[in-house]
């Protein structure tokens, strides 16, 4: 998994009825775009994320 600042981390809900979660990657702490990522969530809080198999990186447009 590779990401850059400005990309979005999309975490899929693991059960039927659980919503997906999206967050903006504000810092990449691994080498060459590898995890972990500092992610800003829509409510404004930030967390360090080590993405699992239920996550995908959506590249920023442009």
């Amino acid at each position: 998994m590779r990401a850059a600042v400005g990309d979005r981390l999309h975490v899929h809900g693991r059960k039927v009825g659980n919503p997906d979660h999206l967050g903006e990657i504000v810092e990449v702490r691994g080498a060459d775009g590898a995890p972990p990522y500092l992610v800003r969530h829509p409510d404004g809080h930030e967390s360090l994320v080590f993405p699992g198999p239920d996550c995908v990186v959506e590249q920023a447009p442009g």
Side-chain angles (χ1 to χ4, degrees):
M1 179 175 290
R2 299 283 180 252
V5 172
D7 290 348
R8 294 189 328 164
L9 187 66
H10 186 155
V11 182
H12 297 282
R14 289 192 254 168
K15 295 181 182 177
V16 173
N18 283 2
D20 291 357
H21 297 281
L22 294 171
E24 178 186 358
I25 297 173
V26 295
E27 186 178 337
V28 176
R29 295 196 177 174
D32 297 321
Y37 306 125
L38 185 64
V39 176
R40 181 176 300 128
H41 301 276
D43 65 1
H45 85 275
E46 295 180 353
S47 60
L48 190 61
V49 177
F50 294 82
D54 56 345
C55 298
V56 293
V57 172
E58 298 175 352
Q59 293 186 345

PDB file of all heavy atoms in Angstrom, residues 9-46:
ATOM      1  N   LEU A   9      -7.951   7.857   2.783  1.00  0.00           N
ATOM      2  CA  LEU A   9      -7.977   6.471   3.239  1.00  0.00           C
ATOM      3  C   LEU A   9      -9.437   6.077   3.395  1.00  0.00           C
ATOM      4  O   LEU A   9     -10.188   6.724   4.124  1.00  0.00           O
ATOM      5  CB  LEU A   9      -7.236   6.322   4.570  1.00  0.00           C
ATOM      6  CG  LEU A   9      -7.063   4.879   5.046  1.00  0.00           C
ATOM      7  CD1 LEU A   9      -6.137   4.119   4.094  1.00  0.00           C
ATOM      8  CD2 LEU A   9      -6.511   4.842   6.446  1.00  0.00           C
ATOM      9  N   HIS A  10      -9.835   5.051   2.674  1.00  0.00           N
ATOM     10  CA  HIS A  10     -11.222   4.568   2.669  1.00  0.00           C
ATOM     11  C   HIS A  10     -11.244   3.235   3.409  1.00  0.00           C
ATOM     12  O   HIS A  10     -10.641   2.259   2.959  1.00  0.00           O
ATOM     13  CB  HIS A  10     -11.677   4.396   1.223  1.00  0.00           C
ATOM     14  CG  HIS A  10     -13.113   4.034   1.083  1.00  0.00           C
ATOM     15  ND1 HIS A  10     -13.817   4.311  -0.054  1.00  0.00           N
ATOM     16  CD2 HIS A  10     -13.992   3.427   1.911  1.00  0.00           C
ATOM     17  CE1 HIS A  10     -15.054   3.883   0.083  1.00  0.00           C
ATOM     18  NE2 HIS A  10     -15.168   3.330   1.272  1.00  0.00           N
ATOM     19  N   VAL A  11     -11.908   3.227   4.546  1.00  0.00           N
ATOM     20  CA  VAL A  11     -12.035   2.011   5.353  1.00  0.00           C
ATOM     21  C   VAL A  11     -13.440   1.473   5.157  1.00  0.00           C
ATOM     22  O   VAL A  11     -14.420   2.133   5.498  1.00  0.00           O
ATOM     23  CB  VAL A  11     -11.778   2.295   6.856  1.00  0.00           C
ATOM     24  CG1 VAL A  11     -11.875   1.008   7.657  1.00  0.00           C
ATOM     25  CG2 VAL A  11     -10.436   2.975   7.059  1.00  0.00           C
ATOM     26  N   HIS A  12     -13.539   0.284   4.595  1.00  0.00           N
ATOM     27  CA  HIS A  12     -14.837  -0.335   4.332  1.00  0.00           C
ATOM     28  C   HIS A  12     -15.417  -0.910   5.618  1.00  0.00           C
ATOM     29  O   HIS A  12     -14.682  -1.475   6.442  1.00  0.00           O
ATOM     30  CB  HIS A  12     -14.697  -1.452   3.290  1.00  0.00           C
ATOM     31  CG  HIS A  12     -14.247  -0.954   1.962  1.00  0.00           C
ATOM     32  ND1 HIS A  12     -15.095  -0.330   1.071  1.00  0.00           N
ATOM     33  CD2 HIS A  12     -13.032  -0.955   1.376  1.00  0.00           C
ATOM     34  CE1 HIS A  12     -14.428   0.000  -0.004  1.00  0.00           C
ATOM     35  NE2 HIS A  12     -13.176  -0.360   0.149  1.00  0.00           N
ATOM     36  N   GLY A  13     -16.738  -0.765   5.788  1.00  0.00           N
ATOM     37  CA  GLY A  13     -17.420  -1.373   6.927  1.00  0.00           C
ATOM     38  C   GLY A  13     -17.274  -2.887   6.861  1.00  0.00           C
ATOM     39  O   GLY A  13     -17.367  -3.483   5.792  1.00  0.00           O
ATOM     40  N   ARG A  14     -17.031  -3.512   7.998  1.00  0.00           N
ATOM     41  CA  ARG A  14     -16.767  -4.953   7.998  1.00  0.00           C
ATOM     42  C   ARG A  14     -18.015  -5.801   8.119  1.00  0.00           C
ATOM     43  O   ARG A  14     -17.972  -7.000   7.918  1.00  0.00           O
ATOM     44  CB  ARG A  14     -15.809  -5.305   9.128  1.00  0.00           C
ATOM     45  CG  ARG A  14     -14.418  -4.799   8.851  1.00  0.00           C
ATOM     46  CD  ARG A  14     -13.445  -5.391   9.802  1.00  0.00           C
ATOM     47  NE  ARG A  14     -13.066  -4.359  10.765  1.00  0.00           N
ATOM     48  CZ  ARG A  14     -12.411  -4.592  11.863  1.00  0.00           C
ATOM     49  NH1 ARG A  14     -12.101  -5.813  12.197  1.00  0.00           N
ATOM     50  NH2 ARG A  14     -12.090  -3.607  12.666  1.00  0.00           N
ATOM     51  N   LYS A  15     -19.133  -5.195   8.482  1.00  0.00           N
ATOM     52  CA  LYS A  15     -20.382  -5.937   8.608  1.00  0.00           C
ATOM     53  C   LYS A  15     -21.466  -5.203   7.835  1.00  0.00           C
ATOM     54  O   LYS A  15     -21.398  -3.989   7.657  1.00  0.00           O
ATOM     55  CB  LYS A  15     -20.803  -6.033  10.074  1.00  0.00           C
ATOM     56  CG  LYS A  15     -19.864  -6.831  10.939  1.00  0.00           C
ATOM     57  CD  LYS A  15     -20.383  -6.895  12.355  1.00  0.00           C
ATOM     58  CE  LYS A  15     -19.424  -7.641  13.255  1.00  0.00           C
ATOM     59  NZ  LYS A  15     -19.880  -7.648  14.641  1.00  0.00           N
ATOM     60  N   VAL A  16     -22.476  -5.927   7.431  1.00  0.00           N
ATOM     61  CA  VAL A  16     -23.605  -5.306   6.750  1.00  0.00           C
ATOM     62  C   VAL A  16     -24.222  -4.268   7.672  1.00  0.00           C
ATOM     63  O   VAL A  16     -24.465  -4.527   8.854  1.00  0.00           O
ATOM     64  CB  VAL A  16     -24.652  -6.377   6.350  1.00  0.00           C
ATOM     65  CG1 VAL A  16     -25.890  -5.719   5.793  1.00  0.00           C
ATOM     66  CG2 VAL A  16     -24.055  -7.347   5.356  1.00  0.00           C
ATOM     67  N   GLY A  17     -24.420  -3.081   7.159  1.00  0.00           N
ATOM     68  CA  GLY A  17     -25.010  -2.011   7.953  1.00  0.00           C
ATOM     69  C   GLY A  17     -23.994  -1.083   8.591  1.00  0.00           C
ATOM     70  O   GLY A  17     -24.347   0.004   9.032  1.00  0.00           O
ATOM     71  N   ASN A  18     -22.720  -1.499   8.657  1.00  0.00           N
ATOM     72  CA  ASN A  18     -21.682  -0.610   9.174  1.00  0.00           C
ATOM     73  C   ASN A  18     -21.230   0.316   8.057  1.00  0.00           C
ATOM     74  O   ASN A  18     -20.877  -0.147   6.967  1.00  0.00           O
ATOM     75  CB  ASN A  18     -20.471  -1.397   9.686  1.00  0.00           C
ATOM     76  CG  ASN A  18     -20.710  -2.027  11.028  1.00  0.00           C
ATOM     77  OD1 ASN A  18     -21.788  -1.929  11.598  1.00  0.00           O
ATOM     78  ND2 ASN A  18     -19.702  -2.701  11.532  1.00  0.00           N
ATOM     79  N   PRO A  19     -21.199   1.617   8.306  1.00  0.00           N
ATOM     80  CA  PRO A  19     -20.818   2.542   7.239  1.00  0.00           C
ATOM     81  C   PRO A  19     -19.313   2.509   6.963  1.00  0.00           C
ATOM     82  O   PRO A  19     -18.510   2.122   7.815  1.00  0.00           O
ATOM     83  CB  PRO A  19     -21.223   3.905   7.810  1.00  0.00           C
ATOM     84  CG  PRO A  19     -21.134   3.735   9.287  1.00  0.00           C
ATOM     85  CD  PRO A  19     -21.535   2.306   9.549  1.00  0.00           C
ATOM     86  N   ASP A  20     -18.952   2.925   5.752  1.00  0.00           N
ATOM     87  CA  ASP A  20     -17.546   3.122   5.416  1.00  0.00           C
ATOM     88  C   ASP A  20     -17.063   4.398   6.090  1.00  0.00           C
ATOM     89  O   ASP A  20     -17.862   5.274   6.432  1.00  0.00           O
ATOM     90  CB  ASP A  20     -17.372   3.253   3.905  1.00  0.00           C
ATOM     91  CG  ASP A  20     -17.630   1.953   3.162  1.00  0.00           C
ATOM     92  OD1 ASP A  20     -17.892   0.926   3.811  1.00  0.00           O
ATOM     93  OD2 ASP A  20     -17.560   1.982   1.926  1.00  0.00           O
ATOM     94  N   HIS A  21     -15.762   4.518   6.261  1.00  0.00           N
ATOM     95  CA  HIS A  21     -15.162   5.712   6.847  1.00  0.00           C
ATOM     96  C   HIS A  21     -14.106   6.246   5.893  1.00  0.00           C
ATOM     97  O   HIS A  21     -13.346   5.472   5.311  1.00  0.00           O
ATOM     98  CB  HIS A  21     -14.511   5.399   8.199  1.00  0.00           C
ATOM     99  CG  HIS A  21     -15.479   4.933   9.223  1.00  0.00           C
ATOM    100  ND1 HIS A  21     -16.301   5.788   9.916  1.00  0.00           N
ATOM    101  CD2 HIS A  21     -15.776   3.693   9.665  1.00  0.00           C
ATOM    102  CE1 HIS A  21     -17.055   5.090  10.744  1.00  0.00           C
ATOM    103  NE2 HIS A  21     -16.749   3.807  10.605  1.00  0.00           N
ATOM    104  N   LEU A  22     -14.080   7.560   5.740  1.00  0.00           N
ATOM    105  CA  LEU A  22     -13.094   8.216   4.893  1.00  0.00           C
ATOM    106  C   LEU A  22     -12.308   9.209   5.722  1.00  0.00           C
ATOM    107  O   LEU A  22     -12.859   9.867   6.609  1.00  0.00           O
ATOM    108  CB  LEU A  22     -13.779   8.962   3.741  1.00  0.00           C
ATOM    109  CG  LEU A  22     -14.507   8.111   2.720  1.00  0.00           C
ATOM    110  CD1 LEU A  22     -15.318   8.994   1.785  1.00  0.00           C
ATOM    111  CD2 LEU A  22     -13.517   7.302   1.920  1.00  0.00           C
ATOM    112  N   GLY A  23     -11.029   9.327   5.430  1.00  0.00           N
ATOM    113  CA  GLY A  23     -10.202  10.311   6.098  1.00  0.00           C
ATOM    114  C   GLY A  23      -9.102  10.777   5.165  1.00  0.00           C
ATOM    115  O   GLY A  23      -8.694  10.050   4.245  1.00  0.00           O
ATOM    116  N   GLU A  24      -8.634  11.998   5.377  1.00  0.00           N
ATOM    117  CA  GLU A  24      -7.566  12.558   4.552  1.00  0.00           C
ATOM    118  C   GLU A  24      -6.217  12.245   5.184  1.00  0.00           C
ATOM    119  O   GLU A  24      -6.017  12.449   6.389  1.00  0.00           O
ATOM    120  CB  GLU A  24      -7.726  14.070   4.443  1.00  0.00           C
ATOM    121  CG  GLU A  24      -6.628  14.721   3.639  1.00  0.00           C
ATOM    122  CD  GLU A  24      -6.703  16.232   3.648  1.00  0.00           C
ATOM    123  OE1 GLU A  24      -7.626  16.787   4.255  1.00  0.00           O
ATOM    124  OE2 GLU A  24      -5.803  16.857   3.055  1.00  0.00           O
ATOM    125  N   ILE A  25      -5.293  11.757   4.375  1.00  0.00           N
ATOM    126  CA  ILE A  25      -3.948  11.472   4.853  1.00  0.00           C
ATOM    127  C   ILE A  25      -3.189  12.797   4.933  1.00  0.00           C
ATOM    128  O   ILE A  25      -3.028  13.485   3.924  1.00  0.00           O
ATOM    129  CB  ILE A  25      -3.235  10.470   3.930  1.00  0.00           C
ATOM    130  CG1 ILE A  25      -3.993   9.134   3.963  1.00  0.00           C
ATOM    131  CG2 ILE A  25      -1.774  10.292   4.340  1.00  0.00           C
ATOM    132  CD1 ILE A  25      -3.503   8.105   2.971  1.00  0.00           C
ATOM    133  N   VAL A  26      -2.769  13.158   6.149  1.00  0.00           N
ATOM    134  CA  VAL A  26      -2.070  14.423   6.346  1.00  0.00           C
ATOM    135  C   VAL A  26      -0.575  14.233   6.586  1.00  0.00           C
ATOM    136  O   VAL A  26       0.188  15.198   6.525  1.00  0.00           O
ATOM    137  CB  VAL A  26      -2.703  15.253   7.500  1.00  0.00           C
ATOM    138  CG1 VAL A  26      -4.112  15.669   7.142  1.00  0.00           C
ATOM    139  CG2 VAL A  26      -2.686  14.501   8.807  1.00  0.00           C
ATOM    140  N   GLU A  27      -0.161  12.994   6.845  1.00  0.00           N
ATOM    141  CA  GLU A  27       1.268  12.707   7.010  1.00  0.00           C
ATOM    142  C   GLU A  27       1.506  11.232   6.729  1.00  0.00           C
ATOM    143  O   GLU A  27       0.731  10.375   7.164  1.00  0.00           O
ATOM    144  CB  GLU A  27       1.710  13.042   8.437  1.00  0.00           C
ATOM    145  CG  GLU A  27       3.187  12.906   8.668  1.00  0.00           C
ATOM    146  CD  GLU A  27       3.585  13.288  10.088  1.00  0.00           C
ATOM    147  OE1 GLU A  27       2.842  14.043  10.753  1.00  0.00           O
ATOM    148  OE2 GLU A  27       4.635  12.808  10.525  1.00  0.00           O
ATOM    149  N   VAL A  28       2.572  10.953   5.985  1.00  0.00           N
ATOM    150  CA  VAL A  28       2.990   9.581   5.709  1.00  0.00           C
ATOM    151  C   VAL A  28       4.249   9.337   6.519  1.00  0.00           C
ATOM    152  O   VAL A  28       5.248  10.023   6.335  1.00  0.00           O
ATOM    153  CB  VAL A  28       3.259   9.378   4.205  1.00  0.00           C
ATOM    154  CG1 VAL A  28       3.775   7.980   3.935  1.00  0.00           C
ATOM    155  CG2 VAL A  28       1.998   9.653   3.392  1.00  0.00           C
ATOM    156  N   ARG A  29       4.210   8.372   7.411  1.00  0.00           N
ATOM    157  CA  ARG A  29       5.350   8.140   8.306  1.00  0.00           C
ATOM    158  C   ARG A  29       6.226   6.968   7.893  1.00  0.00           C
ATOM    159  O   ARG A  29       7.297   6.767   8.444  1.00  0.00           O
ATOM    160  CB  ARG A  29       4.859   7.948   9.733  1.00  0.00           C
ATOM    161  CG  ARG A  29       4.215   9.217  10.255  1.00  0.00           C
ATOM    162  CD  ARG A  29       4.062   9.196  11.728  1.00  0.00           C
ATOM    163  NE  ARG A  29       3.495  10.453  12.209  1.00  0.00           N
ATOM    164  CZ  ARG A  29       3.145  10.669  13.447  1.00  0.00           C
ATOM    165  NH1 ARG A  29       3.285   9.719  14.347  1.00  0.00           N
ATOM    166  NH2 ARG A  29       2.650  11.832  13.799  1.00  0.00           N
ATOM    167  N   GLY A  30       5.775   6.176   6.933  1.00  0.00           N
ATOM    168  CA  GLY A  30       6.579   5.063   6.446  1.00  0.00           C
ATOM    169  C   GLY A  30       7.461   5.495   5.289  1.00  0.00           C
ATOM    170  O   GLY A  30       7.289   6.568   4.712  1.00  0.00           O
ATOM    171  N   ALA A  31       8.409   4.642   4.928  1.00  0.00           N
ATOM    172  CA  ALA A  31       9.307   4.922   3.811  1.00  0.00           C
ATOM    173  C   ALA A  31       8.581   4.732   2.482  1.00  0.00           C
ATOM    174  O   ALA A  31       7.793   3.797   2.324  1.00  0.00           O
ATOM    175  CB  ALA A  31      10.517   3.999   3.883  1.00  0.00           C
ATOM    176  N   ASP A  32       8.831   5.628   1.543  1.00  0.00           N
ATOM    177  CA  ASP A  32       8.292   5.526   0.175  1.00  0.00           C
ATOM    178  C   ASP A  32       6.773   5.385   0.128  1.00  0.00           C
ATOM    179  O   ASP A  32       6.234   4.600  -0.652  1.00  0.00           O
ATOM    180  CB  ASP A  32       8.943   4.367  -0.572  1.00  0.00           C
ATOM    181  CG  ASP A  32      10.438   4.555  -0.745  1.00  0.00           C
ATOM    182  OD1 ASP A  32      10.866   5.699  -1.004  1.00  0.00           O
ATOM    183  OD2 ASP A  32      11.182   3.562  -0.616  1.00  0.00           O
ATOM    184  N   GLY A  33       6.057   6.096   0.974  1.00  0.00           N
ATOM    185  CA  GLY A  33       4.598   6.086   0.950  1.00  0.00           C
ATOM    186  C   GLY A  33       3.945   4.950   1.707  1.00  0.00           C
ATOM    187  O   GLY A  33       2.739   4.762   1.646  1.00  0.00           O
ATOM    188  N   ALA A  34       4.737   4.191   2.446  1.00  0.00           N
ATOM    189  CA  ALA A  34       4.197   3.054   3.193  1.00  0.00           C
ATOM    190  C   ALA A  34       3.579   3.525   4.515  1.00  0.00           C
ATOM    191  O   ALA A  34       3.888   4.606   5.006  1.00  0.00           O
ATOM    192  CB  ALA A  34       5.304   2.044   3.464  1.00  0.00           C
ATOM    193  N   PRO A  35       2.690   2.719   5.093  1.00  0.00           N
ATOM    194  CA  PRO A  35       2.101   3.053   6.396  1.00  0.00           C
ATOM    195  C   PRO A  35       3.166   3.088   7.482  1.00  0.00           C
ATOM    196  O   PRO A  35       4.244   2.528   7.294  1.00  0.00           O
ATOM    197  CB  PRO A  35       1.121   1.910   6.647  1.00  0.00           C
ATOM    198  CG  PRO A  35       0.947   1.214   5.351  1.00  0.00           C
ATOM    199  CD  PRO A  35       2.173   1.485   4.549  1.00  0.00           C
ATOM    200  N   PRO A  36       2.859   3.692   8.604  1.00  0.00           N
ATOM    201  CA  PRO A  36       1.562   4.209   9.055  1.00  0.00           C
ATOM    202  C   PRO A  36       1.282   5.604   8.496  1.00  0.00           C
ATOM    203  O   PRO A  36       2.184   6.301   8.049  1.00  0.00           O
ATOM    204  CB  PRO A  36       1.710   4.258  10.581  1.00  0.00           C
ATOM    205  CG  PRO A  36       3.171   4.516  10.793  1.00  0.00           C
ATOM    206  CD  PRO A  36       3.870   3.772   9.673  1.00  0.00           C
ATOM    207  N   TYR A  37      -0.011   5.985   8.577  1.00  0.00           N
ATOM    208  CA  TYR A  37      -0.470   7.272   8.079  1.00  0.00           C
ATOM    209  C   TYR A  37      -1.152   8.044   9.206  1.00  0.00           C
ATOM    210  O   TYR A  37      -1.908   7.459   9.985  1.00  0.00           O
ATOM    211  CB  TYR A  37      -1.479   7.093   6.946  1.00  0.00           C
ATOM    212  CG  TYR A  37      -0.993   6.228   5.817  1.00  0.00           C
ATOM    213  CD1 TYR A  37      -1.721   5.121   5.412  1.00  0.00           C
ATOM    214  CD2 TYR A  37       0.196   6.510   5.167  1.00  0.00           C
ATOM    215  CE1 TYR A  37      -1.282   4.321   4.380  1.00  0.00           C
ATOM    216  CE2 TYR A  37       0.648   5.706   4.129  1.00  0.00           C
ATOM    217  CZ  TYR A  37      -0.092   4.621   3.738  1.00  0.00           C
ATOM    218  OH  TYR A  37       0.356   3.821   2.716  1.00  0.00           O
ATOM    219  N   LEU A  38      -0.893   9.344   9.249  1.00  0.00           N
ATOM    220  CA  LEU A  38      -1.645  10.214  10.132  1.00  0.00           C
ATOM    221  C   LEU A  38      -2.849  10.673   9.329  1.00  0.00           C
ATOM    222  O   LEU A  38      -2.694  11.267   8.251  1.00  0.00           O
ATOM    223  CB  LEU A  38      -0.804  11.406  10.596  1.00  0.00           C
ATOM    224  CG  LEU A  38      -1.472  12.308  11.616  1.00  0.00           C
ATOM    225  CD1 LEU A  38      -1.746  11.551  12.924  1.00  0.00           C
ATOM    226  CD2 LEU A  38      -0.615  13.528  11.896  1.00  0.00           C
ATOM    227  N   VAL A  39      -4.050  10.363   9.824  1.00  0.00           N
ATOM    228  CA  VAL A  39      -5.286  10.599   9.078  1.00  0.00           C
ATOM    229  C   VAL A  39      -6.174  11.586   9.825  1.00  0.00           C
ATOM    230  O   VAL A  39      -6.382  11.441  11.034  1.00  0.00           O
ATOM    231  CB  VAL A  39      -6.050   9.261   8.864  1.00  0.00           C
ATOM    232  CG1 VAL A  39      -7.376   9.486   8.168  1.00  0.00           C
ATOM    233  CG2 VAL A  39      -5.188   8.285   8.078  1.00  0.00           C
ATOM    234  N   ARG A  40      -6.691  12.582   9.087  1.00  0.00           N
ATOM    235  CA  ARG A  40      -7.659  13.530   9.654  1.00  0.00           C
ATOM    236  C   ARG A  40      -9.049  13.058   9.238  1.00  0.00           C
ATOM    237  O   ARG A  40      -9.354  12.936   8.055  1.00  0.00           O
ATOM    238  CB  ARG A  40      -7.422  14.948   9.148  1.00  0.00           C
ATOM    239  CG  ARG A  40      -8.409  15.952   9.753  1.00  0.00           C
ATOM    240  CD  ARG A  40      -8.117  17.382   9.337  1.00  0.00           C
ATOM    241  NE  ARG A  40      -6.781  17.768   9.766  1.00  0.00           N
ATOM    242  CZ  ARG A  40      -5.851  18.298   8.943  1.00  0.00           C
ATOM    243  NH1 ARG A  40      -6.125  18.496   7.675  1.00  0.00           N
ATOM    244  NH2 ARG A  40      -4.666  18.620   9.405  1.00  0.00           N
ATOM    245  N   HIS A  41      -9.878  12.819  10.225  1.00  0.00           N
ATOM    246  CA  HIS A  41     -11.233  12.321  10.000  1.00  0.00           C
ATOM    247  C   HIS A  41     -12.189  13.500   9.807  1.00  0.00           C
ATOM    248  O   HIS A  41     -11.878  14.631  10.184  1.00  0.00           O
ATOM    249  CB  HIS A  41     -11.656  11.453  11.185  1.00  0.00           C
ATOM    250  CG  HIS A  41     -10.721  10.295  11.384  1.00  0.00           C
ATOM    251  ND1 HIS A  41     -10.838   9.112  10.696  1.00  0.00           N
ATOM    252  CD2 HIS A  41      -9.626  10.152  12.184  1.00  0.00           C
ATOM    253  CE1 HIS A  41      -9.877   8.300  11.066  1.00  0.00           C
ATOM    254  NE2 HIS A  41      -9.121   8.905  11.969  1.00  0.00           N
ATOM    255  N   PRO A  42     -13.375  13.253   9.241  1.00  0.00           N
ATOM    256  CA  PRO A  42     -14.320  14.342   8.971  1.00  0.00           C
ATOM    257  C   PRO A  42     -14.709  15.170  10.191  1.00  0.00           C
ATOM    258  O   PRO A  42     -15.016  16.350  10.056  1.00  0.00           O
ATOM    259  CB  PRO A  42     -15.544  13.630   8.395  1.00  0.00           C
ATOM    260  CG  PRO A  42     -15.015  12.379   7.813  1.00  0.00           C
ATOM    261  CD  PRO A  42     -13.859  11.982   8.707  1.00  0.00           C
ATOM    262  N   ASP A  43     -14.672  14.584  11.383  1.00  0.00           N
ATOM    263  CA  ASP A  43     -15.024  15.344  12.587  1.00  0.00           C
ATOM    264  C   ASP A  43     -13.857  16.177  13.105  1.00  0.00           C
ATOM    265  O   ASP A  43     -13.975  16.864  14.112  1.00  0.00           O
ATOM    266  CB  ASP A  43     -15.565  14.431  13.679  1.00  0.00           C
ATOM    267  CG  ASP A  43     -14.549  13.430  14.204  1.00  0.00           C
ATOM    268  OD1 ASP A  43     -13.379  13.437  13.736  1.00  0.00           O
ATOM    269  OD2 ASP A  43     -14.910  12.637  15.086  1.00  0.00           O
ATOM    270  N   GLY A  44     -12.698  16.112  12.420  1.00  0.00           N
ATOM    271  CA  GLY A  44     -11.556  16.940  12.770  1.00  0.00           C
ATOM    272  C   GLY A  44     -10.478  16.261  13.589  1.00  0.00           C
ATOM    273  O   GLY A  44      -9.371  16.759  13.670  1.00  0.00           O
ATOM    274  N   HIS A  45     -10.784  15.114  14.209  1.00  0.00           N
ATOM    275  CA  HIS A  45      -9.729  14.477  15.000  1.00  0.00           C
ATOM    276  C   HIS A  45      -8.761  13.741  14.078  1.00  0.00           C
ATOM    277  O   HIS A  45      -9.088  13.399  12.945  1.00  0.00           O
ATOM    278  CB  HIS A  45     -10.312  13.560  16.093  1.00  0.00           C
ATOM    279  CG  HIS A  45     -10.648  12.174  15.656  1.00  0.00           C
ATOM    280  ND1 HIS A  45     -11.837  11.836  15.072  1.00  0.00           N
ATOM    281  CD2 HIS A  45      -9.920  11.021  15.743  1.00  0.00           C
ATOM    282  CE1 HIS A  45     -11.844  10.541  14.810  1.00  0.00           C
ATOM    283  NE2 HIS A  45     -10.706  10.027  15.195  1.00  0.00           N
ATOM    284  N   GLU A  46      -7.546  13.556  14.561  1.00  0.00           N
ATOM    285  CA  GLU A  46      -6.506  12.878  13.792  1.00  0.00           C
ATOM    286  C   GLU A  46      -6.067  11.630  14.544  1.00  0.00           C
ATOM    287  O   GLU A  46      -6.060  11.600  15.770  1.00  0.00           O
ATOM    288  CB  GLU A  46      -5.308  13.800  13.581  1.00  0.00           C
ATOM    289  CG  GLU A  46      -5.643  15.002  12.730  1.00  0.00           C
ATOM    290  CD  GLU A  46      -4.463  15.932  12.518  1.00  0.00           C
ATOM    291  OE1 GLU A  46      -3.388  15.724  13.138  1.00  0.00           O
ATOM    292  OE2 GLU A  46      -4.615  16.879  11.737  1.00  0.00           O
TER     293      GLU A  46
END
